[in-house]
Amino acid sequence: MGVKVGVLALQGDVAEHIAAFRDALSDRPGSSVVPLRKAADLAGLDALAIPGGESTTISRLIVKNGLYEALREFEGGVFATCAGMVLTADRVDDTRVRPLGLIPMRVERNAFGRQVDSREALLEVKGLAEPFRAVFIRAPVATEVGPGVEVLARIPEGIVAARSGRHMAFAFHPELGGDLRLHRMFLQGLEV
Ligand code: GLN
């Protein structure tokens, strides 16, 4: 059966998420990937991607567009990267972000220090047979996770990949670079 994925399209690397999910779903007839800007667009979605970008800006736009409660109540799976990871947390070190509380974890923004803008690392991710080339851009880390959250990858700075039920959050950008193994892992998780 086809899968319907929405990509929160308020700010950030929306086009890259749409392209990556379209690619990951190309072998599943009847699937679609659509941008999401208002609460009504959530109807019928199996999953939602929350992109990288600027979490303070995305957070402000979520509230302004009347999406805050609707996103908190979304019952599908959430695939969140970078700024998206900040937004899905329940505790964030920056009061300008109103976190959605979808994953019980504490997240620290820009956790690599101001001088480190971006970095690539070959990362061991639980569930993947081979390491993943992860691109970090002014990335957050999770410093603490609650019960039921599975840590999928960790570096000295903190937790950089986590799963909680059908939700997955990454401090890096699996939507960049063409390696879709984490998208496939996420899509498989929607079926259980
Ligand atoms: N530093 C950004 C934030 O906290 C996230 C950066 C990104 O998404 N690439 O909002």
Side-chain angles (χ1 to χ4, degrees), residues 51-56 81-84 86 109-110 136-140 171 173:
E54 190 55 44
S55 54
T56 52
T81 76
C82 205
V86 177
R109 296 184 64 223
N110 303 328
F136 293 91
I137 306 169
R138 294 189 306 114
H173 292 272

Side-chain angles (χ1 to χ4, degrees), residues 22-192:
R22 283 198 176 141
D23 232 13
L25 288 165
S26 58
D27 58 349
R28 298 222 207 173
S31 296
S32 59
V33 186
V34 293
L36 176 138
R37 293 191 183 84
K38 50 187 196 309
D41 299 338
L42 281 164
L45 291 186
D46 302 299
L48 174 71
I50 305 184
E54 190 55 44
S55 54
T56 52
T57 304
I58 300 175
S59 185
R60 187 169 46 76
L61 293 172
I62 284 173
V63 174
K64 186 172 165 215
N65 289 20
L67 271 162
Y68 185 77
E69 289 305 328
L71 289 176
R72 279 175 71 88
E73 284 161 17
F74 179 61
E75 286 181 354
V78 171
F79 184 93
T81 76
C82 205
M85 179 177 186
V86 177
L87 290 159
T88 52
D90 64 354
R91 285 154 292 157
V92 175
D93 69 336
D94 187 328
T95 53
R96 291 171 298 171
V97 177
R98 196 168 161 201
L100 294 165
L102 295 168
I103 301 181
M105 61 182 174
R106 180 191 296 279
V107 168
E108 203 180 296
R109 296 184 64 223
N110 303 328
F112 294 75
R114 244 173 246 170
Q115 69 281 20
V116 187
D117 220 42
S118 67
R119 177 203 288 189
E120 263 186 42
L122 262 185
L123 208 62
E124 296 287 344
V125 181
K126 204 168 162 184
L128 295 184
E130 303 291 334
F132 192 92
R133 183 166 294 281
V135 179
F136 293 91
I137 306 169
R138 294 189 306 114
V141 293
T143 51
E144 214 182 291
V145 293
V149 180
E150 186 184 9
V151 174
L152 300 179
R154 190 192 286 272
I155 59 172
E157 286 83 355
I159 294 158
V160 292
R163 169 156 53 191
S164 172
R166 275 174 293 179
H167 303 331
M168 291 177 87
F170 305 97
F172 51 95
H173 292 272
E175 73 279 15
L176 306 177
D179 183 344
L180 297 170
R181 286 177 295 161
L182 294 171
H183 287 75
R184 294 202 185 95
M185 192 192 284
F186 171 75
L187 291 168
Q188 272 161 18
L190 294 180
E191 284 157 20
V192 288

